[in-house]
Amino acid sequence: MPHKFNADRRDKFPKTRYAVTNWSDYNEALRRRGDVTIWIEDGTAGKWSAPKRKGRGGRPKYSDFAIETCLTLGLIFHQPLRQTQGFVRSLLGLMGVELPVPDFSTLSRRTIGLSVVDDRPKSSGPVTLIVDSTGLKIHRGSGWQEVKHGTGKTRKSWRKLHIGYDPDSGEIIASLLTIDQVGDETALPELIAGIETPVARILADGAYDGTGVSNCLSEAFGPDVEITIPPPITAVPGLSDRRDAHIEHIAEHGRMAWQSATGYNARALVEAQIGRRKFVIGPRLNAREMDRQITENKITTKSLNRMTRIGRAVFKRVA
């Protein structure tokens, strides 16, 4: 139930409490996230150098795998590029592997257009897709100048992150980084374009309400896909039969009953995933240019999914 629905009498409702039922396994999974062997795959030495170029031209020294490995370690352990170079160099030395390490300028240059391979296992059946968006800070601005001296912002200081989340696997199956002016409805076609898994059900907030979204989802996943998007209070019937059914149910039973009947409350899971991204990786992007930020977001998504596969918490309500 939305917090604002009972905001004026919040003190009369006890806070819901949950307990982790697999604490031993989840605790070990949290430890393993700090294990560097999780982030450095077996057979690294054989994939570290770039393959020979078949045509004319120079050959890069490092493969995309080597660049991605270094950038992933720097992102997970919150190291700038120079410190990342020293960090990876020391890890390879401790492992007894004699490999050259890309310097910080090479890492920065190769970030643009880097091919990040998606290693998610394919789903065995249709999934539920929950979509949402959030803002990520850039340029390392803290707002101190504006607060202290009352000056206005001279440039945009954030990007917009759109994600598609699978609540069953707990993984992000679609991710898109755009400028802040791109709306949720506008970004949706590109967000779902790369999803190869069949989707049976879609949950989204009111920002996605509209005929264009419904048509886009039906074309991408078939006419039988179940779309659950809350219409606004001022909504009137006429756009589609599916939307009209939602409006009639809300008018007859109320919005809270509609949320329970349709399972719309599960959309809170994608908000929790957004909070997890900002807590584990950080609320801002490290790169300054858009091309590098796109690669950074791809590596972030892949790293979070790998953490999920290591182990997830299982909750049950206790009060």
Side-chain angles (χ1 to χ4, degrees):
M1 180 176 293
H3 183 275
K4 62 183 179 182
F5 187 76
N6 288 311
D8 57 340
R9 50 199 180 116
R10 177 57 54 187
D11 59 306
K12 300 183 182 297
F13 295 89
K15 184 177 181 180
T16 304
R17 293 188 298 166
Y18 295 87
V20 179
T21 59
N22 64 333
W23 179 246
S24 179
D25 295 336
Y26 180 55
N27 197 32
E28 179 59 25
L30 294 177
R31 295 191 190 100
R32 293 186 63 199
R33 292 183 186 181
D35 188 348
V36 294
T37 59
I38 296 296
W39 309 105
I40 300 180
E41 301 178 6
D42 294 335
T44 295
K47 298 184 289 185
W48 198 258
S49 299
K52 294 182 178 180
R53 187 188 296 272
K54 295 182 179 180
R56 301 177 62 182
R59 170 191 171 187
K61 184 176 182 179
Y62 304 99
S63 64
D64 288 346
F65 169 81
I67 301 298
E68 181 185 335
T69 299
C70 294
L71 293 176
T72 300
L73 289 169
L75 188 68
I76 294 299
F77 295 101
H78 304 280
Q79 299 288 335
L81 294 182
R82 287 178 174 84
Q83 284 82 345
T84 297
Q85 178 185 355
F87 181 54
V88 176
R89 185 169 55 193
S90 65
L91 289 178
L92 295 178
L94 292 173
M95 295 170 60
V97 179
E98 296 184 2
L99 291 174
V101 179
D103 57 64
F104 65 92
S105 61
T106 300
L107 292 175
S108 178
R109 185 180 67 255
R110 293 282 301 275
T111 300
I112 300 177
L114 182 69
S115 177
V116 180
V117 180
D118 187 4
D119 59 353
R120 287 186 303 107
K122 293 184 178 180
S123 176
S124 58
V127 301
T128 296
L129 178 66
I130 311 177
V131 295
D132 202 357
S133 64
T134 187
L136 295 176
K137 297 179 181 179
I138 57 176
H139 300 314
R140 302 185 181 276
S142 63
W144 178 87
Q145 190 77 6
E146 291 81 6
V147 175
K148 180 69 175 180
H149 301 288
T151 59
K153 292 185 177 181
T154 58
R155 59 182 176 179
K156 294 296 183 180
S157 58
W158 58 286
R159 301 292 189 204
K160 201 167 186 180
L161 174 64
H162 310 262
I163 68 171
Y165 177 71
D166 177 13
D168 295 328
S169 65
E171 297 188 14
I172 300 173
I173 61 177
S175 179
L176 177 66
L177 192 70
T178 65
I179 59 176
D180 60 315
Q181 292 91 348
V182 177
D184 295 344
E185 184 174 353
T186 305
L188 184 62
E190 187 177 354
L191 174 67
I192 64 177
I195 299 179
E196 300 178 355
T197 304
V199 176
R201 185 184 179 208
I202 298 172
L203 300 176
D205 60 18
Y208 296 88
D209 178 64
T211 306
V213 170
S214 180
N215 294 338
C216 173
L217 295 175
S218 297
E219 292 176 2
F221 305 119
D224 296 332
V225 63
E226 180 183 348
I227 303 175
T228 304
I229 299 176
I233 298 177
T234 57
V236 295
L239 290 181
S240 66
D241 295 338
R242 182 187 292 113
R243 188 172 182 268
D244 292 347
H246 292 324
I247 295 175
E248 293 176 2
H249 192 285
I250 292 174
E252 183 178 354
H253 302 285
R255 189 167 293 268
M256 295 298 103
W258 173 85
Q259 291 186 184
S260 299
T262 58
Y264 176 76
N265 292 328
R267 201 190 64 83
L269 296 175
V270 72
E271 297 181 354
Q273 185 68 15
I274 289 174
R276 174 179 176 240
R277 190 264 181 228
K278 294 184 176 181
F279 179 79
V280 175
I281 305 299
R284 66 176 71 250
L285 294 163
N286 296 325
R288 291 180 175 269
E289 294 80 12
M290 187 65 178
D291 292 339
R292 292 182 172 89
Q293 291 167 355
I294 291 174
T295 300
E296 180 182 340
N297 178 60
K298 291 179 181 179
I299 294 177
T300 297
T301 301
K302 184 176 180 178
S303 301
L304 289 174
N305 287 339
R306 186 176 296 182
M307 291 180 185
T308 300
R309 289 193 293 273
I310 293 174
R312 300 172 61 190
V314 179
F315 295 92
K316 72 173 183 178
R317 184 172 177 173
V318 296

